[in-house]
């Protein structure tokens, strides 16, 4: 070590280097224009003063206590959501690594050696103790700062990805619950229909034995009964599959108390969901976490270009050590044994076979890809909202028409039965009326399910269901 009466503290050298750094080559970021029309197509209007979907917590939108229980269980136990949360922790750690690269790594160095001296060849000892700074890159051209900004944007994108996963999970659980309600209603309908047809077979058999009905009537009644039995078996299987799908979303079996409440439940008795204003497409940029995620990924790709540009310029590193050195162990820490060394180095790229240029081109291509993905996310969101708005009014009209058709089919069945009993029409007319009524009643349930699920889709498409606040703050020290 070089002796100095007034050694320059290592911290002063580090501070001076930090003041000299700070140049950034990251391209100026400007949010791209949304590649969608300025307004949505006309749809049902929400009441004046209705809150936007992103401001409506899922507990307020889904008022059914049973559904609230299911959504709470899914948020606590769903493995995909858990992975999304762990990805945030991983991205935060990666950001901290990049941030740490901006600061020197200082360690305690202790050395002892014995060997011949250069002067006379006699064996000599050398001992030293001090603080050592090893190859700290001084970020004059912003390469490390650009990588830090990229890691920060990736962290924010990961956080938004977790929020997007929660939005999708809440909607999926709601749709799964509505499907179970529809399954239960269809099962009740099939059981009643099967019971009615079994009674019809019994009566037709009695009429056949009495010579009033033909064997053809009996076989037709028996065929229709077996068809109802097959439909019931199919719906029982579908009910089990839908329950399994819901259990996967929950990350646990569906609670027994929830299943016990299902018998007798109908979609018509499901609590209503509030009307939501569609707003403007531009508002989706702030409401949808998947769009915010895509934008953060675009920002990360933009920052990576700055790092690629900085690679064309020299890299300046600093190695330093300050401490005490002596030829005798007992001489350490004594007056005159203190000193410091500073060894800056510079590496200027001259020939790298086009590596830096290719890296820059790759970064620019990655930014173009991220831009296309961001625009696609906006277009997808616009389409989802437009589809949900289109479904609101048409499904309401379809549901009302299906209900009235079912009422007409019930009246038709009563008249067909009366005509058959009076010998005015054939038994085939009665069976046709029964088939038509059963099909229409199933259609009523299915359209009602589609109507309710469309409301869930609109809530999700408008950014509702994420209870976590948007990722507006960076990790400490960013």
């Amino acid at each position: 070590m070089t002796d100095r009466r007034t050694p320059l503290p290592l911290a002063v050298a580090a501070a001076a280097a930090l003041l000299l750094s700070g140049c950034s080559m990251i391209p100026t970021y400007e949010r791209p224009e949304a590649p969608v029309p300025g307004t949505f197509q006309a749809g049902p209007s929400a009441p004046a003063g209705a809150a936007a979907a992103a401001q409506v917590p899922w507990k307020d939108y889904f008022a059914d206590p049973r559904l609230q229980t299911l959504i709470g269980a899914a948020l606590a136990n769903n493995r995909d959501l858990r992975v999304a949360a762990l990805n945030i922790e991983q991205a935060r750690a990666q950001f901290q690594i990049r941030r740490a690269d901006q600061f020197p790594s200082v360690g305690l160095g202790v050395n002892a050696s014995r060997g011949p001296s250069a002067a006379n060849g006699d064996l000599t000892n050398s001992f030293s103790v001090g603080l050592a700074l090893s190859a700290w890159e001084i970020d004059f051209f912003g390469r490390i700062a650009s990588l830090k900004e990229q890691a920060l944007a990736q962290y924010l994108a990961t956080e938004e990805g977790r929020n997007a996963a929660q939005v999708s999970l809440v909607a999926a659980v709601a749709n799964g619950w509505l499907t179970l309600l529809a399954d239960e209603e269809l099962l009740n309908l099939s059981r009643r229909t099967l019971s009615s047809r079994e009674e019809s077979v019994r009566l037709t058999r009695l009429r056949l034995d009495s010579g009033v009905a033909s064997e053809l009537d009996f076989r037709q009644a028996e065929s229709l009964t077996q068809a109802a039995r097959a439909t019931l078996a199919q719906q029982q299987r579908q009910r089990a599959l839908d329950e399994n799908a819901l259990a996967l979303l929950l990350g646990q079996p569906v609670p027994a108390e929830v299943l016990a409440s299902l018998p007798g439940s109908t979609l018509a008795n499901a609590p209503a969901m509030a009307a939501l204003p569609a707003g403007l497409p531009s508002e989706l940029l702030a409401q949808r976490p998947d769009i915010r995620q895509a934008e953060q990924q675009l920002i990360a790709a933009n920052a990576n270009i700055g790092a690629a540009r900085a690679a064309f310029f020299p890299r300046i590193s600093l190695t330093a050590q300050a401490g005490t050195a002596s030829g005798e162990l007992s001489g350490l820490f004594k007056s005159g044994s203190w000193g410091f060394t500073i060894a800056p180095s510079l590496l200027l790229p001259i020939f790298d076979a086009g590596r830096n240029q290719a890296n820059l081109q790759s970064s620019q291509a990655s930014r173009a890809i991220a831009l296309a993905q961001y625009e696609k996310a906006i277009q997808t969101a616009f389409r989802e909202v437009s589809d949900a708005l289109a479904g609101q009014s048409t499904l309401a009209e379809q549901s009302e028409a299906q209900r009235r058709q079912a009422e007409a089919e019930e009246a038709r069945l009563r008249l067909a039965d009366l005509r058959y009993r009076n010998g005015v029409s054939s038994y085939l007319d009665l069976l046709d009326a029964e088939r038509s009524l059963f099909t229409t009643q199933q259609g009523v349930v299915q359209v009602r399910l589609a109507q309710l699920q469309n409301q869930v889709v609109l809530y999700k498409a408008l950014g509702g269901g994420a209870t976590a606040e948007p990722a507006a703050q960076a990790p400490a020290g960013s």
Side-chain angles (χ1 to χ4, degrees):
M1 289 189 178
T2 303
D3 292 337
R4 294 289 186 271
R5 292 183 179 274
T6 309
L8 179 65
L10 197 61
V12 175
L18 282 174
L19 290 174
L20 291 174
S21 63
C23 176
S24 176
M25 296 189 178
I26 301 176
T28 302
Y29 175 78
E30 294 181 1
R31 175 180 286 179
E33 293 186 6
V36 294
T39 58
F40 294 108
Q41 294 182 354
S45 58
Q55 300 173 353
V56 180
W58 59 264
K59 287 187 177 180
D60 294 340
Y61 191 70
F62 301 111
D64 190 335
R66 297 172 296 178
L67 178 53
Q68 291 179 353
T69 299
L70 296 177
I71 293 177
L75 294 179
N77 300 302
N78 181 268
R79 297 312 189 270
D80 290 334
L81 190 62
R82 188 173 299 176
V83 169
L86 293 173
N87 285 338
I88 295 177
E89 299 301 319
Q90 185 181 44
R92 181 186 288 112
Q94 291 296 326
F95 166 76
Q96 295 294 349
I97 292 172
R98 288 300 185 187
R99 179 176 175 272
D101 289 341
Q102 292 184 302
F103 300 92
S105 296
V106 180
L108 177 64
V110 179
N111 296 303
S113 63
R114 177 178 176 82
S117 66
N120 52 24
D122 294 339
L123 295 177
T124 60
N125 298 325
S126 176
F127 303 94
S128 65
V129 177
L131 298 179
L133 184 153
S134 177
W136 170 44
E137 180 178 345
I138 304 175
D139 197 24
F140 280 112
F141 302 101
R143 187 184 74 87
I144 297 177
S146 296
L147 293 176
K148 188 201 77 167
E149 291 301 318
Q150 179 199 26
L152 174 60
Q154 288 288 2
Y155 161 73
L156 297 176
T158 306
E159 195 169 59
E160 294 296 356
R162 185 265 175 202
N163 294 339
Q166 176 166 313
V167 169
S168 297
L169 178 60
V170 169
V173 172
N175 283 329
W177 169 248
L178 293 173
T179 301
L180 273 187
L181 291 179
D183 289 341
E184 195 67 30
E185 192 168 352
L186 289 172
L187 279 173
N188 292 334
L189 175 61
S190 295
R191 291 189 185 103
R192 292 196 305 268
T193 300
L194 178 58
S195 177
S196 174
R197 291 181 180 177
E198 287 176 339
E199 178 63 17
S200 178
V201 168
R202 188 185 69 81
L203 293 176
T204 306
R205 183 67 185 185
L206 292 176
R207 293 169 64 88
L208 174 62
D209 293 341
S210 302
V212 178
S214 66
E215 185 176 355
L216 177 61
D217 292 345
F218 172 73
R219 295 304 179 186
Q220 288 173 331
E222 188 178 32
S223 174
L224 203 60
T225 301
Q226 295 304 324
R229 183 171 286 109
T231 300
L232 177 60
Q234 179 184 4
Q235 290 173 348
Q236 288 172 332
R237 180 175 67 255
Q238 188 61 48
R239 164 67 171 72
L241 295 178
D242 291 336
E243 182 180 336
N244 293 339
L246 182 58
L248 178 61
L249 291 174
L250 300 184
Q252 64 177 39
V254 181
E257 62 273 16
V258 174
L259 292 178
S261 69
L262 276 173
S265 299
T266 63
L267 291 173
N269 295 331
M273 290 172 261
L276 299 171
L280 299 175
S282 59
E283 296 173 356
L284 291 178
L285 303 183
Q287 294 173 354
R288 297 249 315 202
D290 58 334
I291 294 179
R292 297 197 299 264
Q293 178 187 17
E295 184 175 15
Q296 289 298 333
Q297 289 171 339
L298 175 59
I299 293 173
N302 192 65
N304 197 40
I305 293 178
R309 287 176 174 177
F312 287 89
F313 294 86
R315 292 190 187 182
I316 301 175
S317 300
L318 180 65
T319 299
Q321 185 173 357
T324 176
S326 175
E328 298 293 336
L329 188 61
S330 59
L332 293 176
F333 305 105
K334 291 184 177 180
S335 177
S337 67
W338 295 92
F340 72 93
T341 60
I342 297 179
S345 64
L346 182 147
L347 176 62
L348 176 64
I350 297 178
F351 175 75
D352 61 2
R355 181 181 291 106
N356 285 340
Q357 182 63 35
N359 186 44
L360 176 59
Q361 292 174 350
S362 175
S363 300
Q364 291 170 338
S366 296
R367 185 190 184 280
I369 293 172
L371 174 60
Q373 292 172 335
Y374 172 67
E375 293 176 338
K376 177 64 179 296
I378 296 176
Q379 291 174 338
T380 300
F382 181 86
R383 184 213 166 160
E384 290 177 353
V385 175
S386 298
D387 287 351
L389 291 175
Q392 276 192 320
S393 58
T394 55
L395 283 170
E397 294 175 1
Q398 184 180 356
S399 179
E400 178 63 19
Q402 286 282 110
R403 185 186 64 80
R404 292 182 178 179
Q405 182 184 5
E407 292 176 353
E409 289 295 340
E410 288 178 355
R412 176 191 170 195
L413 177 59
R414 288 193 300 269
L415 293 174
D417 183 62
L418 182 61
R419 288 169 60 86
Y420 173 70
R421 292 179 185 275
N422 291 324
V424 178
S425 62
S426 67
Y427 190 64
L428 184 60
D429 293 336
L430 177 60
L431 296 181
D432 182 66
E434 288 183 350
R435 279 194 299 264
S436 182
L437 175 60
F438 184 44
T439 301
T440 304
Q441 288 174 330
Q442 288 178 311
V444 170
V445 176
Q446 292 164 351
V447 173
R448 176 61 177 164
L449 172 62
Q451 187 179 13
L452 292 175
Q453 288 183 332
N454 183 76
Q455 292 178 265
V456 176
V457 169
L458 180 60
Y459 180 63
K460 172 190 172 185
L462 292 174
T467 56
E469 292 296 326
Q473 296 183 349
S478 62

